[in-house]
Amino acid sequence: MNPNAEIPETIWLDKTGSTNSEARKLFESRPEAADRMTIIATLSQTAGRGQGDHRWYSAAGESLTFSILKRFDPGELAARDCPRINSLVTPVITGFLEAEGVGGVWVKPPNDIWVKDRKICGILIENVLNGEWIDVSIIGIGLNLNTTSFPADLPNPVSLKMLTGRDYEPHEVLRRLAGEFSRRLE
């Protein structure tokens, strides 16, 4: 992680349904928030979304759930190239996990992060298009930090605490990740 990278504006919400939905509302009310890259984060997300009709489970105060609102320059990124966004984002999370001593980290397509045979992170990327170009991306990330008990119907979840035995402070983890996201996405 680059300690000298610029930290984007971060808005912490006490509780929200979905940080991606909040990022979209922010973009609709203040489009300039996407120009400089803004992060919307919460310690309590009650209706997190995943791919298709999947939901993201997060226990209040135990997970890091946030969305990055990022505008791309006109003509910078074609809609057909949206997998590039994923290739810029996933190394930040995998690098963080590896720096914490976690081995066996890999990306399960299209954009989940697993440790061996267990899911630790989900990413949901939603784009606003301008013709054939991506205007704005909303990159939602759910990272299991301190959760030790998951609903029985979730397939193979794991948290960083379960892997390392340590507690993690979500604000601090996001500070560590935010500068690196800024550097990679700029």
Side-chain angles (χ1 to χ4, degrees), residues 144-182:
N144 297 329
L145 288 182
N146 298 312
T147 308
T148 56
S149 178
F150 291 92
D153 63 334
L154 292 180
N156 299 327
V158 70
S159 72
L160 196 52
K161 180 177 183 171
M162 292 167 71
L163 296 168
T164 68
R166 297 190 307 265
D167 286 312
Y168 291 85
E169 204 291 309
H171 291 83
E172 179 56 33
V173 171
L174 184 55
R175 269 192 294 279
R176 289 177 59 188
L177 297 172
E180 199 62 21
F181 283 123
S182 180

Side-chain angles (χ1 to χ4, degrees), residues 8 37 39 66 68 88-90 92-93 139 141 174 176-186:
M37 194 165 103
I39 295 175
F66 63 99
I68 301 167
L88 294 171
V89 172
T90 55
V92 175
I93 301 293
I139 306 159
I141 299 173
L174 184 55
R176 289 177 59 188
L177 297 172
E180 199 62 21
F181 283 123
S182 180
R183 186 185 68 76
R184 292 188 64 87
L185 290 168
E186 293 301 327

Side-chain angles (χ1 to χ4, degrees), residues 38-89:
T38 300
I39 295 175
I40 308 287
T42 187
L43 293 176
S44 181
Q45 180 172 253
T46 59
R49 295 181 281 127
Q51 295 291 331
D53 62 355
H54 294 166
R55 297 283 171 223
W56 179 258
Y57 170 79
S58 59
E62 295 180 359
S63 299
L64 177 58
T65 52
F66 63 99
S67 295
I68 301 167
L69 180 62
K70 167 72 173 115
R71 181 183 306 278
F72 291 95
D73 291 333
E76 179 179 3
L77 191 60
R80 70 179 178 277
D81 295 328
C82 58
R84 284 184 49 208
I85 298 168
N86 193 51
S87 70
L88 294 171
V89 172

